[in-house]
């Protein structure tokens, strides 16, 4: 993945003032992690709550919310502001992820052609195994973080809390929370490679 040039970076305070559509555009054009973090901060908790209201359990909502942001990171260039606002786009992705999850849960006993060794599903089985390996790598990398950094990662990515909610929960300054997140992201990137964001977010 090509890193965005320093000249394209925007101060977090300025990012906070950008509309959602501008953040999505920066993710699409530059893989801007600052813009992604800001969008995540705005919507992760809301999307999780939306999914719970739609009938998902807390665990299902956390999983689906993570998949939503995987999609945003990987497919931001597909967003068309002329068709819908960014918020509508995000919630549509969330609704579709919930539908996919329900279908997986309610899936009937597999037919012969659905078996993982069937010709049409070899690639799917390989992807599943790769996903298990990737998840293990991510868990190990997170567990290696200092306690304070591991905690903010878990609260942000797995509990769906915003930066402000984490600061309130930990009774810590907002700047401290953001600093811990930046440090933990840097360490995870070092451990998982230059494509760290994709490793953390890809399905």
């Amino acid at each position: 993945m090509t890193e965005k040039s320093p000249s394209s970076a925007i101060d977090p305070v300025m990012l906070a003032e950008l509309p959602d559509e501008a953040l999505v555009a920066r993710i699409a054009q530059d893989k801007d992690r600052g813009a992604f973090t800001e969008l995540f901060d705005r919507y992760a908790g809301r999307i999780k709550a939306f999914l719970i209201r739609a009938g998902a359990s807390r665990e299902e909502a956390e999983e689906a919310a993570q998949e939503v942001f995987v999609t945003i990171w990987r497919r931001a260039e597909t967003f068309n502001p002329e068709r819908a606002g960014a918020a509508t786009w995000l919630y549509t992705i969330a609704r579709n992820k919930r539908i996919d999850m329900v279908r997986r849960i309610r899936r009937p006993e597999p037919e012969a052609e659905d078996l993982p060794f069937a010709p049409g599903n070899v690639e799917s089985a390989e992807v599943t195994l790769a996903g298990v390996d990737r998840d293990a790598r991510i868990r190990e990398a997170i567990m290696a973080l200092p306690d304070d950094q591991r905690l903010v990662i878990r609260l942000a990515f797995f509990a769906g809390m915003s930066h402000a909610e984490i600061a309130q929960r930990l009774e810590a300054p907002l700047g401290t929370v953001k600093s811990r997140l930046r440090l933990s992201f840097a360490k995870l990137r070092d451990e998982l490679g230059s494509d760290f964001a994709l490793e953390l977010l890809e399905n």
Side-chain angles (χ1 to χ4, degrees):
M1 179 181 66
T2 302
E3 298 288 343
K4 61 187 179 62
S5 64
S7 61
S8 66
I10 293 184
D11 183 89
V13 175
M14 295 180 65
L15 279 173
E17 297 175 353
L18 291 178
D20 300 336
E21 291 74 15
L23 294 176
V24 175
R26 290 187 65 82
I27 297 169
Q29 295 166 9
D30 301 319
K31 288 300 183 195
D32 188 324
R33 288 174 178 153
F36 177 83
T37 299
E38 177 63 30
L39 196 68
F40 183 96
D41 190 34
R42 292 182 190 181
Y43 283 99
R46 299 184 200 177
I47 287 175
K48 180 180 173 183
F50 166 76
L51 292 165
I52 290 174
R53 288 196 300 272
S57 68
R58 182 171 295 274
E59 292 75 15
E60 291 169 346
E62 289 178 357
E63 179 182 348
Q66 291 174 50
E67 291 183 2
V68 168
F69 282 93
V70 169
T71 300
I72 293 167
W73 178 261
R74 298 180 66 187
R75 298 181 58 80
E77 68 278 3
T78 66
F79 169 62
N80 184 352
E82 296 181 358
R83 298 182 60 183
T88 300
W89 183 61
L90 265 65
Y91 282 108
T92 299
I93 295 172
R95 179 180 62 81
N96 291 339
K97 293 297 182 184
R98 171 58 181 160
I99 291 172
D100 290 343
M101 183 173 290
V102 170
R103 286 173 177 167
R104 290 199 300 268
I105 292 172
R106 297 178 180 176
R107 195 173 198 177
E109 289 297 316
E111 300 293 339
E113 61 269 21
D114 291 329
L115 294 174
F117 49 77
N121 288 291
V122 172
E123 181 179 356
S124 178
E126 291 175 350
V127 169
T128 298
L129 291 173
V132 171
D133 179 66
R134 181 214 59 229
D135 290 346
R137 290 181 59 224
I138 291 173
R139 283 195 297 271
E140 290 176 2
I142 291 175
M143 289 302 297
L145 293 171
D147 291 344
D148 56 348
Q149 294 174 25
R150 182 169 65 249
L151 179 57
V152 294
I153 283 288
R154 290 190 180 280
L155 291 176
F157 279 90
F158 303 112
M161 297 175 67
S162 69
H163 293 178
E165 289 170 337
I166 295 172
Q168 183 177 13
R169 169 79 170 270
L170 300 181
E171 297 182 349
L174 181 59
T176 298
V177 169
K178 291 185 176 182
S179 176
R180 289 176 183 174
L181 280 169
R182 284 194 296 270
L183 287 171
S184 61
F185 268 51
K187 290 179 180 179
L188 289 172
R189 184 172 60 248
D190 290 342
E191 178 66 24
L192 298 173
S194 59
D195 286 340
F196 144 73
L198 295 180
E199 288 289 333
L200 182 61
L201 298 172
E202 278 182 342
N203 54 18

